[in-house]
Structure formats: structure tokens, C-alpha cells
Amino acid sequence: MSETLDIYGTALPSRLILGTSLYPSPAIMQQAITASGCAALTLSLRRQAPEQRGGEQFWQGLRSFNLHLLPNTAGCHTVQQAVTLAQMSREIFHTNWIKLELIGDDYNLQPDAVLLLSAAEQLLAAGFNVLPYCTDDLVLCKRLFELGCKVLMPWAAPIGTGLGVLNPYALRTLRERLPEATLIVDAGLGLPSHACQVMEMGFDGVLLNSAVALAKNPPLMALAFANAVHAGRSAFLAGAMPPQHLASPSTPVLGMPFWLQETQNGH
């Protein structure tokens, strides 16, 4: 498929973004990344002690893939934490991309809507290309887009649950009401069919981590998700038939079947 995923003017040849945590080993992670065909990877700085450059070996390994890196602010609970971590990521990875995560509830890891808007505004003013991880709330997403966040990353379900799309209506509403935004479903997808579902809705991409990393065979699951994303996007572009409640024959019946005509004619 010739279509690309547009991230702040950068065209990615794949609509799948893969996370880099929870894998059984670096080797399996490498195999999964290769199998997925993804063009971008996300990574958490806070869990790697960036102030001491504690994750340098891990980061160098990710750089070796020659893929776009999307640092995130996972684990942050305040605006200052998120802004500071974003500044560190720009210095370490030489990128203005930042996946903004600002958690308001430790139980379901739901983003803090109020602080998310404040942090996004500060980071945009500082020249960052902000990709906020948010809920499927229409008003929140509209506010983020109006601030200047061209890419939004709403959840399908709480992060790491694998429950799939809990509120299809909300996601469809986001797609319909924000036609100019790049929408990437982030969090809650557990099966390739979940990814296919959101791509059929017209979403621009998906970001995965747990669903691949925690599978019995991460590389095979990465391939399955890649195929599902491709299939869902193709289905969206093709245009699905409208659903209807009455059965309709795929082969219309015109006149009398030929064998009945022969019987009546004495043959």
C-alpha cells in the first residue's frame, strides 16, 4: 500500500508503531520489530534513569534499527516531570517528537485531562511535536487538537488490559469530528482483530506493546498485527457495504429456473 502515516510532516511507510518494553529478551524484541515492519518505536526514558544515562546500551540498540524513535513520558504525574523528561529526550535522541503521558489515576493509568492540556501547551510552545496519550473523550481531544497537537493517541481501553475497543461509539465520534487530525489508537488492544477494527473505522494507525511483548510468540504476533493493520486500512479505503436488517440474495433471481422450463416443455 502506497499510503503513509503522517507524523508532523514525516511520512512513515508503516501504520504500526511498536513499544520496546516487557519482551523476554532483547533478541526476541529485535525479531518482533523486524517481523512487524514498523517504522517507529516508542520507549520510556523514566524507567531507564536518563539523568545518569543508565539506559545508554539499550538506547544504542534501538538506534541500530534506523527507525524513528518516539520517546514518551511514561510514569509522570506532574506537568513539571513531563516537561523535564521531554527536554531530556530531545537532548538524548535529537528529536522533537514526544509521546506525552501524564497519569492521573494509578489504578487504571488514566491520563489526567487537566494537566495534559497544560503540559501539551508548554511543550508545543517549546517546539515539541506532541503526541498526547489521552482517553476517547471528544472534548479533551478537541482541546488538544486546537492547542496544536496534530497527532492524538486515544486509548481503546486502559493500558495493558488487552480488552479491545470498549467504546466504539466514542472512537467513531472522534474520527468523524476530527477529520483533519492524525488519530493513532494507543493502549488496550489485545488481538489483531482489535487493530483491524479500529483501522476499519478510519483511524490512521495503532501503537502496541503488551499485546506483542507478552504473547507466547512475540515475532509471530507482531506479524499478525501488521497484517491486521494492513487489512483494516484496505477495508476502510475500499468502503464497506452498508449494513441492513433484511436478507438480500447475492445472485438475483430472474424468471423461472431453466430446469423447470424444460420440465414444462416435456423434456
Side-chain angles (χ1 to χ4, degrees):
M1 188 180 303
S2 61
E3 273 201 321
T4 56
L5 175 62
D6 182 8
I7 304 293
Y8 284 94
T10 297
L12 301 183
S14 170
R15 293 179 177 272
L16 176 61
I17 300 174
L18 210 59
T20 55
S21 63
L22 303 176
Y23 290 89
S25 70
I28 291 179
M29 180 188 71
Q30 181 176 1
Q31 294 168 20
I33 292 171
T34 301
S36 74
C38 68
L41 302 171
T42 187
L43 67 158
S44 173
L45 275 72
R46 197 160 191 259
R47 299 193 178 102
Q48 298 287 340
E51 61 279 356
Q52 287 97 35
R53 303 184 78 87
E56 187 65 31
Q57 183 176 0
F58 178 72
W59 297 334
Q60 289 293 348
L62 294 182
R63 288 191 186 97
S64 68
F65 288 105
N66 293 318
L67 302 176
H68 291 275
L69 297 183
L70 175 59
N72 64 48
T73 61
C76 291
H77 290 76
T78 70
V79 172
Q80 188 56 54
Q81 286 177 347
V83 170
T84 299
L85 202 58
Q87 292 169 338
M88 287 182 180
S89 75
R90 181 156 62 181
E91 179 181 344
I92 294 172
F93 297 109
H94 308 289
T95 178
N96 287 325
W97 288 8
I98 190 71
K99 178 188 168 188
L100 175 60
E101 297 186 38
L102 223 166
I103 302 304
D105 182 80
D106 288 325
Y107 180 75
N108 67 357
L109 301 179
Q110 181 168 330
D112 188 313
V114 177
L115 297 184
L116 193 65
L117 288 167
S118 178
E121 187 173 21
Q122 291 188 36
L123 290 172
L124 288 165
F128 283 91
N129 295 327
V130 182
L131 294 79
Y133 163 59
C134 53
T135 63
D136 54 14
D137 182 86
L138 173 62
V139 175
L140 171 60
C141 289
K142 285 180 62 179
R143 296 288 183 268
L144 288 166
F145 185 67
E146 290 165 358
L147 278 177
C149 297
K150 297 179 180 180
V151 183
L152 305 176
M153 308 186 84
W155 71 3
I159 192 168
T161 61
L163 292 172
V165 181
L166 294 184
N167 194 340
Y169 172 80
L171 289 183
R172 288 194 181 95
T173 300
L174 285 182
R175 181 67 286 174
E176 293 170 1
R177 297 289 298 276
L178 295 170
E180 297 180 359
T182 296
L183 299 179
I184 299 172
V185 172
D186 175 15
L189 302 181
L191 295 171
S193 58
H194 298 156
C196 189
Q197 179 184 5
V198 297
M199 295 302 294
E200 288 173 344
M201 291 180 186
F203 278 79
D204 298 288
V206 299
L207 191 154
L208 304 164
N209 194 163
S210 301
V212 172
L214 299 182
K216 292 182 179 179
N217 187 329
L220 186 58
M221 186 61 78
L223 177 61
F225 268 104
N227 290 334
V229 168
H230 182 90
R233 182 63 180 177
S234 296
F236 170 73
L237 294 176
M241 63 169 283
Q244 54 190 26
H245 296 289
L246 297 177
S248 176
S250 58
T251 303
V253 177
L254 300 175
M256 185 182 297
F258 70 88
W259 60 86
L260 291 181
Q261 294 178 16
E262 293 178 349
T263 300
Q264 291 182 0
N265 292 332
H267 295 289

